[in-house]
Amino acid sequence: MIDYLPLRRINALRSEAIHAAAARVIDSGWYLLGQEVAAFESAWAEYIGTDHCVACANGLDALKLILQGYKELGRLRDGDEVVVPANTYIATILAITATGLTPVLVEPDPATFQIDGTRIEAALTPRTRAIMIVHLYGRPAYTPLIADICRRHNLLLLEDNAQAHGAGVHGAGTALRRTGSLGYAAAHSFYPGKNLGALGDAGAVTTSDADLAAVVRALANYGSARKYVFDHIGRNSRMDEIQAAILLAKLPFLDADNARRREIALRYIREIHNPALSLPAENYAEGNVFHIFPVLSHRRDELQAYLKAQGIATLIHYPIPPHKQRCYPQWNALSLPTTERIHTTELSIPCHQALDDTEADTIIAALNAFR
Ligand SMILES: *Cc1c(COP(=O)(O)O)cnc(C)c1O
């Protein structure tokens, strides 16, 4: 059986470093708000290319902390609108509604799965204050057009970088700029299945806005910047020392792991030829770290059953779009055809650093033989 994402095998690749990191924390007697978290924050800020990183408990909290932080700073107010891709994972939208803000769903570009910049301006209203781009499937969503819209309309550009650790964009003649450093602030999740995965829950906010970094740090610590003094109504959202130590141990391998994902993804793009399937074009690979490799088929459920019978596990990202969820009845009647088409045709095939060439051969052969 070829598993979709065998975390046991993936973490076994770094077994020694992970065990040493965990043992160091276990033996230290210090489990929260210590030097491992501080060291990871510095390393992650440097890797992403921002001045600050604040570690927190998970990716959803990271998103909420950014939005709540900008409310505390007066940049966002109750009922303000935040533009967001309609086909994102639900967490992006949960963070917006949980903070008393209003998501405005914008359709993606079907070729890239990312928010379609040409549709954003039509969605702006006098209440729009921010655009939350989501680098979905590991592919950068940032475009110069989106940055330009933010500048012209004085909007906060925010990033959900949960799926795109290490992805980047090249400006004209400039060095690589990593996702997570492209806007005012970015949320990261280190859920075990993400490209840089912890062995439990963990998240972080990166930003070069010193005011936001300070308020996010306080909000994640009960609203306190000084012991027993509470300036904000905060929460407890901490990253465990043991998770920080494990992430620090895995970070040096992230680029190599992403390179292996790309290698496999490029083989899929070049070697799978089947009129019953639609694969991303080669330029889809630009800056992409392939958190998810999407194949589209109008016979998606049949394809999934066929692959399962061949011993290949797959997942769907995602079966039901946010606007069709029962938790958001106000959007259930909306028609978002591009989003709905992705949700009815998308199938994710295995694409990770522990996948070997023989397994990739099997997956390619099976997809080419699907009739
Ligand atoms: C995983 C994910 C999150 C949430 O991260 P958690 O750590 O699970 O809270 C948010 N946004 C996107 C796009 C994700 O994929």
Side-chain angles (χ1 to χ4, degrees):
M1 186 74 195
I2 300 178
D3 290 331
Y4 180 73
L5 191 69
L7 291 178
R8 204 172 64 81
R9 256 173 83 194
I10 286 171
N11 286 317
L13 296 173
R14 316 295 173 218
S15 177
E16 258 179 67
I18 291 171
H19 280 265
R24 187 168 76 230
V25 176
I26 291 166
D27 295 341
S28 74
W30 195 284
Y31 307 116
L32 289 169
L33 300 173
Q35 60 190 31
E36 302 288 348
V37 165
F40 177 70
E41 288 178 338
S42 304
W44 191 242
E46 182 175 332
Y47 179 81
I48 295 295
T50 54
D51 292 344
H52 307 278
C53 170
V54 181
C56 65
N58 56 63
L60 177 59
D61 273 4
L63 288 161
K64 288 186 192 171
L65 287 164
I66 291 169
L67 296 168
Q68 197 187 343
Y70 276 121
K71 278 180 95 177
E72 299 286 329
L73 294 172
R75 287 291 305 259
L76 296 173
R77 284 166 209 268
D78 276 334
D80 280 350
E81 292 175 2
V82 180
V83 169
V84 64
N87 60 322
T88 187
Y89 179 58
I90 196 83
T92 325
I93 292 169
L94 290 174
I96 296 169
T97 57
T99 316
L101 303 164
T102 303
V104 175
L105 306 177
V106 170
E107 288 262 62
D109 173 343
T112 64
F113 303 95
Q114 309 305 320
I115 191 167
D116 184 346
T118 66
R119 289 168 174 257
I120 290 177
E121 278 192 288
L124 301 181
T125 77
R127 299 240 38 191
T128 315
R129 291 287 174 275
I131 300 177
M132 174 73 79
I133 58 174
V134 183
H135 309 292
L136 211 62
Y137 302 168
R139 209 241 189 224
Y142 176 94
T143 63
L145 171 62
I146 295 173
D148 186 54
I149 292 169
C150 287
R151 262 190 305 274
R152 280 189 283 110
H153 297 274
N154 191 28
L155 306 174
L156 291 167
L157 178 59
L158 307 174
E159 303 173 78
D160 179 339
N161 198 42
Q163 301 191 358
H165 306 149
V169 296
H170 283 280
T174 60
L176 181 91
R177 292 168 64 212
R178 285 222 162 88
T179 58
S181 72
L182 303 171
Y184 277 75
H188 309 260
S189 162
F190 306 107
Y191 175 84
K194 308 296 192 194
N195 287 37
L196 179 62
L199 271 56
D201 273 318
V205 172
T206 53
T207 182
S208 290
D209 178 341
D211 294 336
L212 182 74
V215 75
V216 163
R217 191 174 291 286
L219 285 170
N221 183 35
Y222 303 108
S224 171
R226 274 187 304 140
K227 204 164 184 172
Y228 304 125
V229 178
F230 302 93
D231 298 329
H232 313 275
I233 298 175
R235 71 180 76 203
N236 170 2
S237 182
R238 299 187 283 238
M239 183 191 286
D240 290 341
E241 285 282 286
I242 203 162
Q243 299 303 342
I246 289 166
L247 291 171
L248 264 175
K250 292 179 75 176
L251 178 54
F253 304 104
L254 176 59
D255 286 344
D257 290 347
N258 284 340
R260 176 63 184 156
R261 284 174 180 262
R262 277 182 68 82
E263 200 170 66
I264 294 161
L266 285 169
R267 282 198 61 195
Y268 290 159
I269 291 173
R270 290 170 187 156
E271 297 176 36
I272 297 171
H273 303 286
N274 185 336
L277 310 175
S278 162
L279 269 81
E282 190 137 345
N283 66 4
Y284 178 70
E286 278 169 24
N288 196 329
V289 291
F290 292 99
H291 176 63
I292 284 167
F293 189 93
V295 172
L296 303 184
S297 171
H298 292 291
R299 294 156 55 207
R300 189 260 313 276
D301 296 348
E302 209 185 312
L303 176 65
Q304 186 171 38
Y306 160 86
L307 290 171
K308 188 176 174 200
Q310 311 265 315
I312 300 166
T314 57
L315 289 178
I316 296 168
H317 295 94
Y318 299 91
I320 306 170
H323 70 283
K324 295 293 184 195
Q325 298 288 353
R326 277 167 58 189
C327 62
Y328 291 122
Q330 67 271 37
W331 299 326
N332 288 176
L334 277 184
S335 166
L336 294 162
T338 306
T339 295
E340 286 158 29
R341 204 172 331 116
I342 292 170
H343 286 77
T344 51
T345 58
E346 196 273 346
L347 190 68
S348 308
I349 59 176
C351 184
H352 58 81
Q353 60 268 33
L355 196 80
D356 65 34
D357 289 336
T358 316
E359 291 170 320
D361 291 343
T362 303
I363 292 166
I364 291 165
L367 285 164
N368 281 329
F370 177 67
R371 288 291 171 271

